[in-house]
Amino acid sequence: MLALVSIVTIFSTTYLQYDSGSYSQTIMQIAWFAVGAVAAAIVMQLDRKTLYHFAPVAYGFGLVLLVLVLIFYDRELAVTNGAHSWITIGPLSLQPSELMKVAYIIMMAYLVQGYNDEGRRLGIEDMVMMERVKFDARFLLKITLWTIPPVALIIAQNDLGTTLVFLMMFIGVIFVSGITWYIILPAFLSFAVIALILIILVVYQRDLLYALGFQDYQFARIDSWLNPFGNSANESYQLAQSLKAIGSGGLLGKGLGQFQVHVPVRESDMIFSTIGENFGFLGSSFVVLLYFILIFQMISVAFRAHDAFYASMVSGVVMMFTFHIVENIGMSIGLLPLTGIPLPLISAGGTALLTSMLSIGLILSIKYNEGLDDEHLSKNPVVKAIRWVNRLIPQNLIDKLT
């Protein structure tokens, strides 16, 4: 259903909206859905053991891509949006930070499984409180250290939105990892205090934030969020137009292809403005309902898994989808600042769509491989290929690194 919404909405945005519209964006989206479906079907066949051992390999490959994009990034796109996040190969643009999300999720699940295994070996349930806090604090430090490299490389790309997605996935994994609340609660409160201080500094003391590396375009997004119609001719134009478009849709919308408000980047980041204007409040609510059903099904899988690796993996995927959905819709209706985050499975964009489909494939793999023995799995060509890749890196080297 979300795929249908995506195709219809992109067709309306890129073809019906203009007298000389083009089919190309719609055809590309259909093609990416086909590629994503194949990718999800491939990932779905990977069993727990294969995924677990593949996690460090995927993480390392993702880091290599993040380094390469800093060297070979598309200069034209960088001038347009300010981020060094895309590598262009012929007619296609690849965003490595999107693919890194999947690798990061699997890697976090790998580390959580290691934490749980070590906890059982040491008798974590019988530890006194101070001993438990020290044990959990060491694990928290470990997953923080594994989070820093991808986040630092994405910050170097000047991509704040994707950085926030990684932080949300990090928080989601922490909450299901089993770490004691004596650590989680103070850490969460500290995070909330830091966020509050940053907001206060943005409003009253920007010089300090400039010294810390913040840039004008980031402040412009905050200003447009706080006062969307204050400078609607420049920084606030996109948000102001989005609010007008969504509001003008009313209860039932104006109809497919009916536009009266110009909104920049409607086909990707601001696609919710098309849904609001064309299909109104009821159509927008239907999309939110579809997302609720999707997230609810994902969470149900996590509860049925009874496995630390799978539960952490699903948690990372759920946080990724939830943050994308809340942030994208929130920024389109003025509740949250603009960050350039696409709407999952609906916005135009090949790499983001592929990432969403791969993530869904990870969750489908839990049920798909349930009850299959290793003899059966070893005959699967996909499993055989990934296990061959896993054997290329010595396990003792991986154990030392992790």
Side-chain angles (χ1 to χ4, degrees), residues 224 275 297 299 321 326 382:
S224 64
I275 296 171
Q297 293 287 351
I299 294 173
F321 269 90
V326 171
V382 175

Side-chain angles (χ1 to χ4, degrees), residues 346-386:
I346 293 183
S347 289
T351 317
L353 177 56
L354 181 60
T355 298
S356 297
M357 297 296 285
L358 286 171
S359 301
I360 290 172
L362 287 176
I363 295 179
L364 292 174
S365 71
I366 299 174
K367 182 68 176 178
Y368 183 82
N369 292 286
E370 190 176 46
L372 296 181
D373 55 36
D374 198 65
E375 181 180 354
H376 178 86
L377 290 167
S378 62
K379 298 176 182 177
N380 187 310
V382 175
V383 174
K384 288 172 65 175
I386 298 300

